[in-house]
Amino acid sequence: QMEAIQSAIRRADPVDLKVQVHKLRGIALNLEFGRLGALSTSMEEAAVPDGPMPDMQAFYAALCAEWAFAASLIEEVRS
């Protein structure tokens, strides 16, 4: 999922970005990762079709950090 988000950012495709981030938001909220869900929501709202795309790399960096944290928690539970 993170690769799909990065690809949409590289292509400056706000429509695909909204779709990909929305998927991540759903996953995050279903697993009760509130911060990841909130970051996803912010990124989704910032990706406006036919509008200027803000610097999504900063959003993406924060998203990656939170994803890494969430993945580490999942790994702890699995161990």
Side-chain angles (χ1 to χ4, degrees):
Q1 193 64 46
M2 299 303 286
E3 291 88 13
I5 292 169
Q6 179 65 18
S7 175
I9 291 169
R10 268 189 256 120
R11 291 181 283 108
D13 183 345
V15 174
D16 188 38
L17 181 59
K18 284 179 89 67
V19 168
Q20 300 307 325
V21 173
H22 185 79
K23 289 178 187 177
L24 180 61
R25 185 180 89 175
I27 293 166
L29 295 178
N30 279 321
L31 294 174
E32 296 188 13
F33 291 123
R35 287 185 299 200
L36 186 59
L39 282 168
S40 299
T41 298
S42 295
M43 198 169 187
E44 187 177 0
E45 290 171 352
V48 179
D50 299 323
M53 249 175 83
D55 179 17
M56 290 296 179
Q57 289 301 332
F59 275 115
Y60 184 71
L63 208 60
C64 285
E66 198 57 39
W67 176 252
F69 176 72
S72 72
L73 291 178
I74 291 169
E75 191 58 36
E76 268 185 44
V77 171
R78 292 178 64 197
S79 298

